[in-house]
Amino acid sequence: LAKTTQPISMDSYEGQEVNITCSHNNIATNDYITWYQQFPSQGPRFIIQGYKTKVTNEVASLFIPADRKSSTLSLPRVSLSDTAVYYCLVGPTGGGNKLTFGTGTQLKVEL
Amino acid sequence: EAGVAQSPRYKIIEKRQSVAFWCNPISGHATLYWYQQILGQGPKLLIQFQNNGVVDDSQLPKDRFSAERLKGVDSTLKIQPAKLEDSAVYLCASSPGIIPGNEQFFGPGTRLTVL
């Protein structure tokens, strides 16, 4: 079972780039890395998913080194509305109890 | 596209009572998940369905929790009898199927308070 470790909290200012790192030392060969965003009183929302190297979409980038023991979610030019909890999820897309959410990182963006 | 629907949004019961939550996934999504999220923690998977079959329920406390997915569409999660430690948000999520790249779409959750 892939255990993940993330910083509990991070602070940033509007317009800055934010990088949140997730450690997953015992990631399995068939595990994917997925990041979700969660606002209070809402369910998590998918941000990005990757297996190796770099993935980019319209809202974020995901960097995964060759050993895949960690991953970094990069949010370019954050705004106040990016204040949320960010979860790193490691597991096979087949799911099951191997889908493990991390403790989450509370990102606070200020003016 | 309509999202995942859950009801009720809030429920307050006393310990030893029973409660049921309902989930309607996104149309056409084969996979359905129920999670328990205790305040300050990440979601914990309780059960996963693929169509109307159970893929994994190893973390479901089967002495008090039960879940079913009728005709591979809607799903209900039941707790009987409830304990104080069951106070949490119960999240339902769905995804198109078990293939690489699938993302889970979450509903708003049901906040359960057990007194």
Side-chain angles (χ1 to χ4, degrees):
Chain A
L1 198 64
K3 176 177 166 51
T4 60
T5 303
Q6 305 173 229
I8 293 175
S9 63
M10 295 182 69
D11 294 328
S12 184
Y13 293 96
E14 275 202 318
Q16 290 191 331
E17 177 184 75
V18 171
N19 296 307
I20 306 174
T21 297
C22 180
S23 172
H24 29 80
N25 290 321
N26 59 339
I27 188 170
T29 302
N30 61 341
D31 284 346
Y32 281 70
I33 300 156
T34 311
W35 285 81
Y36 285 84
Q37 175 191 56
Q38 187 174 30
F39 297 110
S41 301
Q42 295 185 23
R45 184 176 71 174
F46 174 88
I47 302 174
I48 197 166
Q49 183 181 74
Y51 184 79
K52 62 180 179 181
T53 63
K54 176 184 175 182
V55 180
T56 298
N57 62 21
E58 62 275 11
V59 298
S61 294
L62 178 59
F63 299 91
I64 306 169
D67 65 7
R68 304 200 328 123
K69 293 183 183 298
S70 67
S71 59
T72 299
L73 173 72
S74 182
L75 304 172
R77 297 180 301 281
V78 294
S79 64
L80 294 174
S81 61
D82 292 316
T83 295
V85 178
Y86 292 81
Y87 290 101
C88 167
L89 178 64
V90 174
T93 55
N97 67 354
K98 297 180 179 63
L99 281 176
T100 306
F101 275 83
T103 54
T105 297
Q106 173 67 62
L107 172 65
K108 182 178 179 182
V109 180
E110 299 175 288
L111 287 173
Chain B
E1 175 181 86
V4 175
Q6 290 188 249
S7 68
R9 290 296 311 277
Y10 305 92
K11 189 72 177 180
I12 300 174
I13 62 173
E14 296 192 347
K15 60 182 179 183
R16 290 187 290 274
Q17 287 188 321
S18 62
V19 64
F21 312 126
W22 173 81
C23 173
N24 181 234
I26 292 173
S27 178
H29 279 195
T31 310
L32 185 146
Y33 311 81
W34 281 103
Y35 289 87
Q36 178 192 59
Q37 185 171 26
I38 293 173
L39 187 64
Q41 299 181 18
K44 171 189 169 184
L45 180 68
L46 293 177
I47 189 167
Q48 177 186 350
F49 292 94
Q50 175 71 8
N51 296 311
N52 60 354
V54 175
V55 173
D56 192 300
D57 63 356
S58 58
Q59 300 188 110
L60 186 73
K62 299 180 186 64
D63 58 334
R64 298 183 300 106
F65 286 65
S66 64
E68 61 179 1
R69 189 177 184 193
L70 304 173
K71 299 180 181 179
V73 183
D74 292 6
S75 178
T76 56
L77 176 69
K78 297 179 182 178
I79 307 175
Q80 181 180 8
K83 293 184 175 181
L84 296 177
E85 58 261 35
D86 298 331
S87 293
V89 175
Y90 291 84
L91 294 161
C92 179
S94 69
S95 66
I98 304 177
I99 58 175
N102 264 327
E103 65 180 89
Q104 295 182 47
F105 296 82
F106 283 81
T110 296
R111 182 177 298 277
L112 173 67
T113 301
V114 182
L115 304 175

